């Protein structure tokens, strides 16, 4: 396993637009947080795979998988919470930008998991960025939702639903 040693443990410029509070309060919480947002996961990446990679940086308190808000299936992100800030900083330094399940994962600081945040915020139920993708990505369900609707001839803006694989 190769670690990406060029990334730092500093704060990114991204800020959660749904945060209820001031920008200063959000930044204060990010600076003491032990929680990482992990994005660009395959829809097929398991919690066990995440645990195996991220536990290399320290003891994990919990992992919360991101779910499609309609179908309740993984939608490509999760939260990893460590017990110690130093372990989370190691995650930012060494895991951000590494390959997991044939995808380059990205990590960012998060103020801490709150129930309800595990659901995608896009109109289709998943992540907003997946709605606008124009490339085909098998690990993320094919084309972006908007392109997929055009390809399939769906004209209405109805939410995208993944087929029920249990049938």
């Amino acid at each position: 396993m190769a670690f990406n040693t060029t990334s730092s443990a500093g704060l990114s410029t991204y800020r959660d637009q749904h945060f209820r509070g001031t920008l200063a309060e959000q930044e204060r919480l990010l600076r003491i947080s032990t929680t990482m947002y992990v994005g660009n996961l395959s829809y097929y990446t398991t919690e066990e795979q995440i645990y195996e990679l991220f536990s290399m940086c320290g003891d994990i308190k919990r992992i919360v998988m991101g779910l499609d808000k309609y179908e309740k299936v993984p939608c490509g992100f999760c939260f990893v919470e460590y017990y110690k800030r130093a372990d989370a900083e190691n995650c930012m330094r060494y895991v951000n930008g590494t390959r997991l399940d044939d995808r380059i994962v990205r990590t960012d600081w998060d103020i801490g998991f709150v129930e309800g945040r595990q659901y995608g915020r896009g109109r289709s139920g998943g992540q907003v960025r997946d709605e606008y993708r124009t490339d085909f990505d098998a690990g993320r369900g094919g084309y972006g939702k908007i392109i997929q609707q055009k390809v399939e001839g769906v004209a209405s803006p109805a939410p995208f639903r993944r087929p029920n694989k249990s049938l």
Side-chain angles (χ1 to χ4, degrees):
M1 160 139 341
F3 285 123
N4 177 359
T5 58
T6 60
S7 57
S8 78
L11 298 182
S12 72
T13 57
Y14 173 79
R15 296 296 176 264
D16 184 356
Q17 296 175 358
H18 296 275
F19 179 75
R20 298 191 191 284
T22 66
L23 181 60
E25 176 66 10
Q26 186 177 22
E27 288 190 9
R28 185 189 69 75
L29 292 173
L30 289 171
R31 291 186 192 288
I32 62 171
S33 178
T34 59
T35 303
M36 308 305 301
Y37 167 86
V38 182
N40 201 36
L41 296 173
S42 167
Y43 291 167
Y44 308 104
T45 299
T46 65
E47 192 170 322
E48 290 79 16
Q49 289 171 289
I50 294 166
Y51 184 84
E52 186 176 330
L53 175 62
F54 285 79
S55 65
M56 293 177 151
C57 295
D59 292 331
I60 294 174
K61 186 174 185 179
R62 70 177 168 168
I63 296 172
V64 179
M65 296 296 290
L67 302 174
D68 179 293
K69 67 182 168 187
Y70 301 117
E71 302 297 322
K72 308 301 187 255
V73 295
C75 68
F77 72 96
C78 73
F79 297 94
V80 176
E81 184 178 357
Y82 289 94
Y83 285 99
K84 299 177 185 172
R85 172 71 182 199
D87 296 342
E89 288 174 356
N90 284 334
C91 175
M92 277 296 287
R93 285 186 191 100
Y94 304 122
V95 176
N96 186 34
T98 61
R99 190 172 297 274
L100 175 63
D101 210 8
D102 207 29
R103 304 189 61 78
I104 302 297
V105 296
R106 61 186 169 82
T107 61
D108 204 353
W109 293 105
D110 191 83
I111 59 170
F113 175 75
V114 176
E115 188 61 40
R117 288 193 62 215
Q118 73 267 36
Y119 300 115
R121 295 177 176 168
R123 289 182 57 211
S124 65
Q127 294 185 73
V128 174
R129 75 174 40 220
D130 280 322
E131 294 177 350
Y132 294 98
R133 273 189 305 102
T134 58
D135 61 323
F136 182 85
D137 187 342
R140 306 263 313 171
Y143 287 106
K145 303 303 184 246
I146 293 171
I147 299 295
Q148 191 166 342
Q149 288 175 349
K150 289 179 184 176
V151 168
E152 294 173 353
V154 177
S156 72
F160 171 80
R161 303 271 196 245
R162 285 190 184 88
N164 185 348
K165 294 191 181 213
S166 65
L167 296 176

